[in-house]
Amino acid sequence: YPWDKSSLKSMPVDLQQFKNLDAYALKVNVKSSVEELVKALLKQARTDLEKVRAIWMWICHHIEYDIVGYHNKSQRLTKAEEVLQRGKSVCEGYAKLFEQMCSLAGIQCKQLSGHSKGNGYKIGQSFTGKSDHAWNAVYLEGRWHLLDSTWGSGSVDDSFTKFTYRYNEFYFLTHPALFIKDHFPDNSNWQLLKPTLTLQEFESNMRQNSSFYRLGLLAAHPDTPIIHTVNGKASVSVDGRPGMLFTFKLNGTKKYGLMALKKHGMELDIYPQTTGSHRLDIFAKPSRAEALGDTYDCVLEYIVECQSVDKAMRFPKDLNQPVGPSWFSERQGFLRPSHREPTIHTNDGRCCLTFTLGKDISVLSSLHCDSGGLAEETRRQHIMQIRRRNQLELKVHLPHAGTFVLRIYAKKRTDPGNYDYVFNYLIKCLNAEVKWPPFPLRYSHWMEDYEIVEPLSRLLPANRNVPFKLKMHGVAKVLVQAGNIYTLTNNRGCWEGTCNTSGCTEVFVMVHENANHSFYSHVLKYEVETQ
């Protein structure tokens, strides 16, 4: 102890080699006696490990948990023969049947008892009185190994009224440093650990459940189940294999947190909205599961003790988890992000994000905020997107101070369909002076690789000479229509010139795509300030 992260098992086990044996054991249908059952199972098992495996598989798939017996001691049957005949029992019956079947197969096996963090376990509870669970140890290849066929067979719902068969490989020859997470034997020698843990350590240690390890997760920080906020914030991180998806619930809702997906796990900051105790659940699933429709499994449970609330932290309703770039956005083609953190802080209300696009995609972005009363279409005009070959730049000028969500969407450039949401950032600006006007209105003839150098503001000053500088390729002529029409000159792909805003309320930029045509396309629209 602690676990060295090398293997979930206490001895080398190749599950592929058990495939045929497992299938055979499941089909054995002998109920006449325990002896006959063992005889039938051993027909396909040669080594001691194979014999234990066949017995384990049969019990896990043929004995169900006895809910009635659990609630009513007088109806509880735990002798091996009785368990076999009825096909159900409580943990003691599973352990007795396992012990007797091993003994008939010539394998040393012990029934163990102790405390467990099973159904009904509450974080931080203390274990007093007599033990509440039974399991086994088997002697294989010169050492003792632990297993729990009750928990290997399935699970009982929270109200303890229904058992569901759901085979769990984790509890077969579990590494003792992992078994101790939820099994504490009455005799500490049967922890099979050096050093052994005290009951107090067992009580205060984190229960990483079997799903945590089954999904390839390795460690959680903090590794104590009760965590305290510092200035209203508590932080949790999980280490695991690449390509895992995570989500969380604080008191049953996915709110008041900022979760960032990392290459090997995730990081989460939680901001409870009231003082006191809060329940935090962390869920995970492999990313390839989207195709299989896998659901998220709960892998960790914490209690968050909050002493003070961070009132300044805001979570707009349009914020999606996870926040910020990740391996997931990278997979969608957004490489080398300029901003790697989920939150962008800006004092002057402006920020500029850049990405290298690793795929041939079209990108769309939108800005969201719960305050300010602007329509989404108006807020969208506060983002300007510039494409330089495979480089993407997003300029953001905030309309006012506050907390915003920048959402980024993409689709294959050749796809006619809709854009898919990819990821989002949180943008925070506390400067109450900030009040940027929108960018110029861009019409459909404005190409994504055109660029406005100046003027960037949609609002032009009245009665002024305003310099224009626009990067546009493949056009024959560029005009600015204000009170008069001004022609811009082409200086190596940069169209430059000046227009005067006297006597007009709007200014348009128009392009002549072909010198032989007289047709102009509108590409930009500006407004002139009223005096």
Side-chain angles (χ1 to χ4, degrees):
Y1 190 82
W3 182 49
D4 62 2
K5 298 182 184 174
S6 62
S7 167
L8 301 180
K9 305 282 188 198
S10 52
M11 66 187 282
V13 172
D14 179 359
L15 295 178
Q16 282 304 102
Q17 288 189 348
F18 286 146
K19 253 182 142 163
N20 294 339
L21 177 65
D22 288 354
Y24 170 77
L26 296 194
K27 288 200 186 88
V28 170
N29 186 16
V30 176
K31 288 276 180 98
S32 52
S33 72
V34 179
E35 287 81 359
E36 290 302 314
L37 171 59
V38 172
K39 209 183 284 179
L41 285 171
L42 296 194
K43 278 183 185 153
Q44 295 284 324
R46 295 181 313 282
T47 65
D48 282 359
L49 173 59
E50 286 176 352
K51 291 171 186 176
V52 168
R53 178 70 178 187
I55 292 168
W56 158 267
M57 283 310 271
W58 193 91
I59 290 179
C60 286
H61 291 86
H62 292 85
I63 306 298
E64 63 175 287
Y65 194 81
D66 182 5
I67 303 270
V68 175
Y70 168 81
H71 290 293
N72 188 343
K73 222 174 180 175
S74 66
Q75 296 191 37
R76 213 178 275 182
L77 298 176
T78 56
K79 289 198 178 104
E81 284 293 349
E82 297 171 334
V83 174
L84 177 63
Q85 296 311 321
R86 287 190 61 198
K88 58 169 69 172
S89 186
V90 292
C91 56
E92 195 187 340
Y94 278 89
K96 276 195 174 140
L97 179 60
F98 204 99
E99 185 181 30
Q100 190 172 336
M101 288 175 76
C102 283
S103 154
L104 289 165
I107 290 155
Q108 283 191 74
C109 176
K110 282 207 175 308
Q111 178 185 333
L112 304 176
S113 60
H115 293 291
S116 72
K117 293 181 177 177
N119 254 37
Y121 165 71
K122 299 270 185 296
I123 289 174
Q125 82 174 56
S126 37
F127 292 89
T128 51
K130 62 181 181 47
S131 53
D132 60 19
H133 192 46
W135 57 92
N136 297 96
V138 289
Y139 195 75
L140 292 169
E141 296 180 16
R143 292 212 330 272
W144 286 99
H145 303 268
L146 301 166
L147 43 78
D148 183 343
S149 57
T150 313
W151 289 10
S153 66
S155 58
V156 175
D157 62 345
D158 291 338
S159 60
F160 244 94
T161 53
K162 183 171 177 279
F163 169 80
T164 306
Y165 275 115
R166 187 188 179 191
Y167 176 68
N168 194 337
E169 176 62 44
F170 181 74
Y171 292 106
F172 179 69
L173 311 183
T174 316
H175 193 301
L178 301 181
F179 205 73
I180 195 68
K181 298 274 184 189
D182 44 22
H183 292 73
F184 189 84
D186 294 334
N187 176 344
S188 62
N189 291 334
W190 285 109
Q191 293 179 24
L192 306 182
L193 289 173
K194 269 188 187 141
T196 56
L197 272 71
T198 64
L199 182 60
Q200 209 171 352
E201 287 172 312
F202 175 71
E203 288 169 349
S204 61
N205 276 359
M206 188 85 197
R207 171 181 73 165
Q208 276 103 339
N209 60 26
S210 61
S211 298
F212 183 91
Y213 296 105
R214 186 173 52 79
L215 290 168
L217 304 179
L218 298 170
H221 313 279
D223 59 0
T224 51
I226 298 174
I227 47 182
H228 296 267
T229 57
V230 176
N231 300 327
K233 176 177 96 171
S235 299
V236 171
S237 66
V238 176
D239 302 334
R241 59 175 167 211
M244 292 299 291
L245 293 171
F246 293 87
T247 182
F248 71 90
K249 282 186 178 174
L250 182 67
N251 302 325
T253 67
K254 289 185 193 174
K255 287 183 182 167
Y256 313 121
L258 281 185
M259 187 182 77
L261 273 190
K262 298 293 173 190
K263 192 177 177 188
H264 294 276
M266 71 92 173
E267 291 171 2
L268 170 66
D269 290 334
I270 284 290
Y271 298 83
Q273 301 295 292
T274 56
T275 55
S277 290
H278 302 266
R279 182 187 167 118
L280 173 63
D281 296 303
I282 312 270
F283 303 84
K285 73 172 181 179
S287 59
R288 61 171 192 281
E290 291 160 326
L292 307 170
D294 259 19
T295 50
Y296 281 96
D297 278 326
C298 183
V299 291
L300 289 170
E301 296 164 34
Y302 286 99
I303 296 288
V304 181
E305 297 288 357
C306 179
Q307 283 79 26
S308 66
V309 176
D310 180 347
K311 292 270 196 274
M313 192 63 195
R314 293 267 171 272
F315 296 91
K317 65 177 189 300
D318 289 308
L319 184 68
N320 262 21
Q321 305 291 341
V323 187
S326 65
W327 60 262
F328 184 78
S329 53
E330 211 167 89
R331 197 188 272 181
Q332 312 298 314
F334 292 84
L335 314 179
R336 293 192 273 286
S338 55
H339 294 69
R340 295 196 169 273
E341 293 303 308
T343 307
I344 298 169
H345 297 272
T346 165
N347 188 43
D348 70 356
R350 294 184 296 185
C351 58
C352 177
L353 296 84
T354 59
F355 304 92
T356 299
L357 298 179
K359 292 182 174 179
D360 191 25
I361 51 176
S362 296
V363 179
L364 200 66
S365 50
S366 58
L367 197 63
H368 304 260
C369 184
D370 290 348
S371 60
L374 293 177
E376 185 184 328
E377 201 35 59
T378 312
R379 287 194 305 264
R380 200 180 280 257
Q381 300 296 326
H382 284 265
I383 310 168
M384 188 160 70
Q385 190 170 302
I386 302 150
R387 179 91 172 244
R388 304 179 189 96
R389 288 191 296 280
N390 68 340
Q391 299 299 307
L392 177 73
E393 183 182 334
L394 297 177
K395 283 191 197 308
V396 180
H397 287 186
L398 298 178
H400 52 79
T403 304
F404 291 80
V405 179
L406 175 67
R407 291 173 68 111
I408 297 171
Y409 304 80
K411 71 177 177 81
K412 263 198 200 142
R413 211 194 272 239
T414 50
D415 273 10
N418 293 333
Y419 284 82
D420 290 324
Y421 166 80
V422 182
F423 65 120
N424 59 184
Y425 283 95
L426 196 63
I427 303 179
K428 295 179 76 170
C429 176
L430 301 175
N431 182 355
E433 311 279 290
V434 161
K435 197 178 179 196
W436 287 100
F439 290 107
L441 184 63
R442 278 112 40 223
Y443 292 114
S444 59
H445 281 272
W446 180 263
M447 299 296 157
E448 65 177 357
D449 51 359
Y450 289 177
E451 187 177 336
I452 304 171
V453 180
E454 61 178 347
L456 276 175
S457 165
R458 184 181 301 185
L459 220 48
L460 303 180
N463 303 322
R464 285 280 175 83
N465 285 329
V466 177
F468 272 75
K469 193 172 182 184
L470 307 168
K471 290 184 182 174
M472 296 152 84
H473 59 85
V475 294
K477 203 169 179 184
V478 181
L479 305 180
V480 178
Q481 180 188 358
N484 296 314
I485 288 185
Y486 303 86
T487 306
L488 302 187
T489 50
N490 186 0
N491 184 357
R492 291 201 303 250
C494 215
W495 295 85
E496 301 176 35
T498 307
C499 92
N500 189 287
T501 57
S502 301
C504 65
T505 56
E506 295 176 331
V507 172
F508 293 93
V509 177
M510 302 179 295
V511 297
H512 213 66
E513 283 154 6
N514 186 325
N516 301 325
H517 289 179
S518 57
F519 182 70
Y520 284 93
S521 305
H522 284 66
V523 288
L524 294 174
K525 176 187 173 184
Y526 290 86
E527 287 156 20
V528 179
E529 284 178 335
T530 48
Q531 288 152 18

